[in-house]
Amino acid sequence: MNIVEVENLRVHFSRRRGVTVRAVDGVSFTIAPGETLGLAGESGSGKSTVARALLRITDPAGGRVRIGGRDIAGLRGASLKAFRRQMQMVYQDPYDSLDPRMKIGATVEEALLVKGVPAAERPGRVRELLERVGLPAAFAVRYPHELSGGQRQRVSIARALGVDPAVIACDEAVSALDVSVRAQILNLLKDIQEDSGLAYLFISHDLSTMRFAADRVAIMYLGRLVEIGTRDQVFGAPRHPYTQALLAAVPVPGASRAARRVRLAGEPPSPAHPPTGCAFHPRCPLAQDVCRTTRPELAVKQGGQLAACHLASEPAREEAAP
Amino acid sequence: MTGWVLRRIGQTALVLLGVVTLAFFMAYAVPGDPARLIAGPNADAATVASIRHQLGLDAPLWSQYTAFLGRLLRGDLGTSYALHGAPVAGQILQALPTTALIALGGVLWQLVLGVPAGIVAAYRPKSAADRLATLGALIGLSAPPFWIGLLLLYYLAYRSSVFPLNGLGDPLWWYLALPTFTLGLAGAAWYARMTRTQMLEVLRSPYIQMARAKGLRERTILTRHALRNGLTPLITMIGMDFGYFLGGVLIIESVFGLPGVGKLTYDAIDQLDIPIVTGAVLFAAFFVVVMNFLVDLTYAVVDPRVRNRR
Amino acid sequence: MTAPPEPLEPPESRRPADPEAPSVRDGLRRAGRSLLRDLPALISIIVLVLLVLAALLAPLLAPHDPLRTYAEGLTDRGAPVSPGGDFPLGTDPNGRDVLSRLLYGARVSLTIGIVANGLATIVGVVVGVTAGYFGGLADTVISRITDVIMSFPILLFCVALISVTGPSQRNVVLVIALIYWTYLARIIRGMVLSLREREFVTATRTLGVGNVRIMVRHILPHLVPAIIVYATLGVASSILIESSLSFIGVGVPVPEASWGQMIDDGRKYYEVAPWLLFAPGVCLIVTVLAFNLAGDWLRDLLDPTAPERR
């Protein structure tokens, strides 16, 4: 059974003068235990908002989110707090996601407090958690500003692990780090996953990180998924022109030649005023009339992944057969 | 814009109602027994009761409150206890021109003294001039106005007879010089600090650095770019100052013996003439609230970003 | 997944001098160093220490009973005695020793300034944090209440409230606190509004930590520097207000000594006994200036971005 099931998730923000921004507009996916789903897209595509809605930082406007088999909409008070132990998040900014006035040990201990670990056992557990994320236990008495960015992200991970969650969302968790440190943190996340069967929702705009970290990859554009498939499907033979353009923009080893065809021009349109039809059509070099009028739905394409594009070819017959 | 103005008017009305309610409780609910005050300590119980009835003080609080609101809407602030039933509003209006004159003088002083000091300080931060202006401003903020006023009187009016001792006379500005200076001093200090902060911010901003990089003369940069942008926010505060000065004149007018709203209130305090005191307070608060609204309105017209805030 | 051997992490560039540096010992060391470089601040701290000592030790230091009228404290014609001799700073029109009254006046000023501000700070912080953190209806209601109270010119409002409730030390404290909490609440609210959007607060909330714990453990510690700064500056203005009230005659009731009231006593005699003005006035301005300087210094030390306030 999947640990995360998201169906038709919608998140709206209302701006002044009654303008509604559909930051997330009908997104569906699942994550299995022990799996990493990558969520990629440019900034403003709504990928962070998806994570925030899953954690109930932002309230969804519609759709259904089930975590550990439980619908999280409408949870309040104690049951909301209980749910929060199921899913945790590691944030982008290692400088801001730890309270600068709190010692590392106290920050990690707070997770244990929430989980109901008796006070006597907490110092030992804090030490274990710090060591689990590769930090010396002596760091417990340090303050965040005495740590490097990578060390702070390790603390963030330790804090998340403290409540023993089933899922962790990593929202650009390594984007702010130096490349060498980035690899270490990614490896740490992998290690933890192998040990404990955690599921990750791994959010990043950086496709090379994604290729390293994700088992399956979903590509988001203006609040909607445009392509979702296994890592090899999406990176090896992207079907959506947007995915192709993204891959063309970064030198990814082994990216197909098709991916190099498309150049991405211009800025993404404002989600407050999305284009008609396929939201990508104003920037799509292949756009045709149908793209301007009709919105494509996600469908199985050649190669087996799902893509939302009128022009991507359907799977050949032998592929479609089970 | 219209929506913003309407919302702001609604807010202002709400605050005004709050001000009035607070003043009502101050005037009628808190004090022991106004009727006893009016009747004097030797009056018998029947007299006190009849006065209480006359003033409507035996009615339930709620109906007293609505009556109070009704009178306010007609511009009636009640009647003075001590001045033989004179209407409070009339007393205040009669004293107002003197006070307005003093407040105007105070505003002039604070601009003339404060703004240049702030500019000089900001233009050469950490220089001797800056330190002097900053310390001077702090002293101005720390000096009790009544004491400054008395010192000025002692040295410039009593000992050296340069200025008149008290009251009003001819030429008027001669009599107002010391009181308005005293009133404006603290404000000047405050304006100096604000000007300095504002100017420092503007002088550090990219467009000033750009102007410097273009090779514009420092004087042009200062007068054409920095001053205009740095001082606009300060100018809009002047309206509010008139309101706050209605508090300041309480002391100034009593020290210098000037027949304004402050003196009226000061004397009323001595005689426990509560309607005059609350009337003056209410008047001042009304003034501040309305000024606040007008300032916001001007801002919104000048700077469209304000309308989208909040 | 083949994990590459973990090399030692390269030391990343750390942020220089973190403004949110948490250690108390660090802070004290920094404060000491900064004091040595800042002469006015150093002097102000020394003055404050002496002042507190003078207030505490008033009974030991005072040469006379501050409340007693001495026969030899008046000249044959009933005028105050000049400074020197038995009365180092002279006597007041009632034949009381000025120096002793000054020392006891320090007690009054400091007590009122500190207690009134302590109350205002507690209320202001609790209300400001609640309004800022929860937002919504609580915030709207609280913001309107502060709007209403802040619409009244401070001094006039104090005077009106006290003339209604009757002058006493307790009432002076309560009235100042009643007004001052609004200023702090508004500042704190603004800070909390931005703090609650910080990622570490979100992270703590998603951990499942309750609101009260977040406010106490994660929001409040970040407010401490601002609270210290504004409380210090607040004591300065409270002392000014108290002295103004006493000067007007609605502050600390006679015969208790208060600097403002001593100046009021002296004003009728300043032609013949100017020391009655000088001594308490100098005490007052030095005290208020010291608190203001200390507050400014703390602002630079703890919270350089804190905005100016009136």
Side-chain angles (χ1 to χ4, degrees), chain B residues 48-68:
Chain B
V48 173
S50 91
I51 291 175
R52 192 176 296 142
H53 184 72
Q54 267 176 32
L55 292 174
L57 293 174
D58 50 355
L61 206 61
W62 176 249
S63 67
Q64 283 191 51
Y65 177 63
T66 46
F68 178 75

Side-chain angles (χ1 to χ4, degrees), chain A residues 52 55 57 81 84-85 87-88 91-93 95-102 106-107 110-111 113-114 143 145-151 154 159 163 177-178 180-181 184 187 190-191 194 212, chain C residues 1-4 6-15 18-23 26 197-211 213 217-219 221-225 302:
Chain A
R52 295 174 81 86
L55 280 145
I57 299 170
K81 280 185 191 170
R84 291 201 144 140
R85 270 169 251 154
M87 179 158 183
Q88 284 298 309
Y91 296 80
Q92 167 169 20
D93 186 352
Y95 292 108
D96 205 39
S97 54
L98 300 176
D99 188 338
R101 287 186 178 269
M102 212 179 222
T107 296
E110 203 159 44
L113 179 94
V114 165
Y143 283 98
H145 76 271
E146 300 173 276
L147 270 54
S148 71
Q151 290 166 338
R154 288 174 193 266
R159 172 175 60 186
V163 294
L177 305 176
D178 287 350
S180 56
V181 182
Q184 294 169 29
N187 284 327
K190 281 277 174 199
D191 282 355
E194 277 160 24
F212 181 79
Chain C
M1 177 108 292
T2 51
E6 291 220 5
L8 220 71
E9 261 180 46
E12 283 180 46
S13 60
R14 288 182 188 171
R15 284 186 165 180
D18 196 320
E20 293 176 300
S23 150
D26 259 21
E197 300 302 325
R198 295 273 295 269
E199 214 146 72
F200 68 80
V201 174
T202 312
T204 312
R205 195 178 306 129
T206 52
L207 212 54
V209 175
N211 288 328
R213 189 180 157 89
R217 295 298 302 274
H218 295 277
I219 303 267
H222 293 261
L223 302 174
V224 169
L302 300 171

Side-chain angles (χ1 to χ4, degrees), chain B residues 8 240 244 287-297, chain C residues 151:
Chain B
R8 194 68 188 75
M240 304 284 300
Y244 288 111
F287 194 87
V288 171
V289 174
V290 172
M291 270 301 170
N292 224 331
F293 171 68
L294 292 179
V295 166
D296 270 15
L297 200 65
Chain C
S151 299

Side-chain angles (χ1 to χ4, degrees), chain A residues 127-138:
Chain A
R127 211 170 304 131
E128 281 169 36
L129 282 167
L130 287 178
E131 278 162 4
R132 179 71 199 86
V133 297
L135 291 175

Side-chain angles (χ1 to χ4, degrees), chain A:
Chain A
M1 204 184 81
N2 290 316
I3 186 74
V4 177
E5 292 173 353
V6 177
E7 253 173 73
N8 199 22
L9 175 69
R10 279 173 287 128
V11 183
H12 297 175
F13 297 117
S14 44
R15 293 268 163 81
R16 279 192 181 283
R17 285 184 252 279
V19 177
T20 303
V21 178
R22 295 160 182 269
V24 178
D25 192 17
V27 164
S28 307
F29 59 81
T30 59
I31 309 176
E35 182 188 40
T36 300
L37 175 71
L39 192 55
E42 289 167 285
S43 53
S45 60
K47 51 192 194 308
S48 292
T49 312
V50 169
R52 295 174 81 86
L54 260 54
L55 280 145
R56 284 285 304 274
I57 299 170
T58 313
D59 277 325
R64 203 161 65 132
V65 177
R66 294 166 74 89
I67 304 223
R70 179 142 190 220
D71 194 332
I72 66 158
L75 289 181
R76 311 189 114 259
S79 49
L80 179 62
K81 280 185 191 170
F83 147 71
R84 291 201 144 140
R85 270 169 251 154
Q86 285 271 305
M87 179 158 183
Q88 284 298 309
M89 177 126 120
V90 177
Y91 296 80
Q92 167 169 20
D93 186 352
Y95 292 108
D96 205 39
S97 54
L98 300 176
D99 188 338
R101 287 186 178 269
M102 212 179 222
K103 285 179 184 163
I104 300 307
T107 296
V108 176
E109 189 181 341
E110 203 159 44
L112 301 171
L113 179 94
V114 165
K115 206 189 154 211
V117 176
E121 295 172 24
R122 281 184 224 144
R125 293 275 293 124
V126 167
R127 211 170 304 131
E128 281 169 36
L129 282 167
L130 287 178
E131 278 162 4
R132 179 71 199 86
V133 297
L135 291 175
F139 271 37
V141 294
R142 297 213 186 163
Y143 283 98
H145 76 271
E146 300 173 276
L147 270 54
S148 71
Q151 290 166 338
R152 286 186 224 208
Q153 278 316 46
R154 288 174 193 266
V155 175
S156 252
I157 294 168
R159 172 175 60 186
L161 291 176
V163 294
D164 217 356
V167 196
I168 295 183
C170 303
D171 184 5
E172 303 276 11
V174 297
S175 307
L177 305 176
D178 287 350
V179 178
S180 56
V181 182
R182 197 179 288 182
Q184 294 169 29
I185 300 290
L186 289 174
N187 284 327
L188 172 67
L189 288 170
K190 281 277 174 199
D191 282 355
I192 293 168
Q193 189 172 47
E194 277 160 24
D195 287 359
S196 60
L198 264 174
Y200 291 129
L201 174 62
F202 193 89
I203 294 168
S204 178
H205 66 279
D206 177 32
L207 292 178
S208 24
T209 306
M210 197 57 91
R211 189 182 167 80
F212 181 79
D215 302 319
R216 285 191 303 132
V217 178
I219 308 287
M220 245 184 126
Y221 188 75
L222 275 192
R224 300 176 67 90
L225 291 188
V226 295
E227 183 157 2
I228 179 169
T230 64
R231 176 180 53 188
D232 293 340
Q233 285 167 341
V234 173
F235 282 91
R239 293 303 166 198
H240 197 282
Y242 177 62
T243 316
Q244 294 168 1
L246 283 182
L247 286 172
V250 247
V252 177
S256 77
R257 206 174 307 146
R260 302 189 195 280
R261 227 174 36 202
V262 188
R263 284 280 141 76
L264 202 52
E267 296 283 313
S270 153
H273 307 284
T276 56
C278 173
F280 187 57
H281 84 253
R283 302 168 79 191
C284 182
L286 312 170
Q288 297 179 359
D289 285 348
V290 61
C291 304
R292 290 179 191 102
T293 54
T294 315
R295 186 150 70 185
E297 297 299 327
L298 274 177
V300 181
K301 301 292 177 188
Q302 198 180 0
Q305 70 258 53
L306 299 170
C309 179
H310 295 300
L311 308 170
S313 37
E314 301 293 317
R317 199 159 292 153
E318 62 269 27
E319 273 180 322

